[in-house]
Amino acid sequence: MNEKLSVMELLKRAAKLLLFSNISLPFFLFLCSLPLFCFLIFFELSLQTTVSLTYQFLSQELELGGYFYLQDHKDLSENDLVPWLIQTSLLYFFPYALLDLLTTTVIVAASSVSYTSEDEEPLGLLCLVQRSTKICRKRLLGCLITSLYVLLLSTSVFFGFFSDSVNYLFVFSLSRDYKNFYYHTGVLFHAVVALIHGTVFIVLAVKFGKWSAGWNMGLVVSVLEEEDGKGGIYGTNALSLSYWYGRGHEKRDLLMMLMFSVFAIVTRMPCLYSTCSERSSGNGVLYTGIYVGLICVGNVVKWVACVVSYYDCRARVLEKKDDVEIGSKAKAFAT
């Protein structure tokens, strides 16, 4: 308890729990992740098409064709782009958010049951399912409320990323309209604009990583924490408690969230760059299925690591609380 767990130690414990503690756990989590996996293939294909059309439309409207080479370029209108934006947004806010919440709740509950099990023999699949279902049934409404808060906060940050990127492209395109001005000061002006917007983007990325660590811990709290005689903890109370548990572990949690975020982005980039959704041979769906499978595996590891981090942080907080209470009682006795 004296040494804080590092990111690698958390990941090692999560991998040990998944691979060596109980064979029923990875099999159960695999079954629970199948609906999300199937839906993500369809969602990612829609996302790839939306990103490709958005890129072409912005390049066309901002006259960036000389700077960004487009293959099979064709003139696009808002009517070509808007339906895909609406479809992808609706898929993200309703089916994806709900499936992700259900999958997360089951992963957290099952990981907690296996992690805290004191039985000498590993839990059987039926027992694991029963205990996990019992937890999920009690906490699902609270987790839904907490997830709505998280969805609202994360969407606000994504709008910040989007606004920063669009504003950068808009300012850059305006500077090109003034040819004489751009000829004399274009390089310096572009460098300053890129520096400002790049700084904003990096700050938002770091803040998002830090906040997402607290949001993830808040969801874990909503699943596992129980207030004395009052049921579960959810909403703003769960988020406040998660930040209390995470005090002193901010750098570790930030690094872990950034690792999983970079992993998710890197696995998506090849298909986004090569527009797998536009391939008629079927290879695009195959490649999309492969990286969606990797994302689902990373998602399971992330939430198991969050469960391990939750129990570690909670134990340290309770230990400090007991030390303070013992110290205050000893001081009162001495006086």
Side-chain angles (χ1 to χ4, degrees), residues 18 32 34 72 101 107 133 178 236 242 256 313 320 329:
L18 284 169
C32 294
L34 274 180
D72 300 328
L101 173 63
I107 292 173
T133 304
Y178 300 95
T236 55
S242 70
M256 187 170 70
C313 295
K320 291 180 181 179
K329 290 180 180 179

Side-chain angles (χ1 to χ4, degrees), residues 22 111-123 131:
N22 187 358
S111 302
S112 173
V113 170
S114 296
Y115 191 72
T116 59
S117 176
E118 298 178 354
D119 299 336
E120 295 182 0
E121 296 183 359
L123 292 173
R131 293 190 184 183

